[in-house]
Amino acid sequence: MDIIEVDQQFTITNINPSPEGKAFSKITRVEMDSGELLIDINSDIYPVEEADKFSTRFVFGNKTEEVELPERCVEEYEYIMYGQIYKYKEMKNLNKVAIYVSFGGLLMRFYAEPGSEIIQLTSIDNKMYILMRKVPNIDY
């Protein structure tokens, strides 16, 4: 399988959205674009605030091979995590598929369209990177 790269922009819409609030002192659960992406971030090393905007790249590999990131990616992004897909869940009410990823215990959930390239070309145990960098909040 070839490597799949997907670039997307996200904005934080909620921090620690659970009713219990923050569960761990150094981890912040971040909801972006009203739930399109839910991700745990080590806020001790990468602080985030509501309304922060991010340029995000998802890099998917396959089950058996490590994903090699080009050096330019490491230089262009501020926060990088490596993990694997552990669950898919069809969300019939949203007409989307939820994809769940674990980055060594930090979790992420994001949605994809049922027939999208990500759904067609990935599966449980696929390795992936998420790369993030903050972009300026510019209001026109």
Side-chain angles (χ1 to χ4, degrees):
M1 177 183 109
D2 293 326
I3 290 175
I4 303 167
E5 293 185 29
V6 178
D7 293 316
Q8 199 164 348
Q9 298 276 326
F10 290 102
T11 302
I12 295 178
T13 51
N14 200 349
I15 291 184
N16 298 312
S18 74
E20 296 83 31
K22 193 167 184 166
F24 301 100
S25 63
K26 297 181 180 187
I27 306 300
T28 300
R29 180 155 287 172
V30 175
E31 182 179 71
M32 298 192 187
D33 291 354
S34 299
E36 286 298 306
L37 175 69
L38 188 68
I39 185 168
D40 293 339
I41 293 179
N42 183 334
S43 52
D44 190 44
I45 62 170
Y46 194 65
V48 294
E49 297 178 8
E50 199 164 317
D52 281 349
K53 294 180 190 262
F54 295 89
S55 174
T56 305
R57 173 171 287 173
F58 300 100
V59 180
F60 298 91
N62 61 35
K63 293 181 192 181
T64 58
E65 296 176 24
E66 296 292 320
V67 180
E68 298 275 336
L69 277 182
E71 186 64 32
R72 65 173 170 73
C73 287
V74 174
E75 293 170 3
E76 290 176 18
Y77 291 88
E78 303 165 340
Y79 187 74
I80 301 172
M81 293 193 299
Y82 180 72
Q84 72 182 50
I85 297 171
Y86 69 90
K87 181 168 98 174
Y88 290 88
K89 184 176 180 182
E90 190 173 343
M91 309 298 286
K92 292 181 182 183
N93 57 330
L94 299 174
N95 195 29
K96 295 184 180 189
V97 176
I99 301 171
Y100 295 86
V101 182
S102 176
F103 300 99
L106 298 179
L107 304 178
M108 177 177 77
R109 182 207 65 216
F110 68 99
Y111 294 115
E113 299 297 324
S116 69
E117 181 181 38
I118 293 171
I119 298 298
Q120 293 176 15
L121 299 177
T122 64
S123 61
I124 301 289
D125 295 332
N126 271 101
K127 310 294 189 223
M128 73 164 290
Y129 280 95
I130 183 168
L131 303 94
M132 300 170 68
R133 73 172 169 259
K134 292 179 185 174
V135 295
N137 289 331
I138 300 174
D139 295 323
Y140 293 97

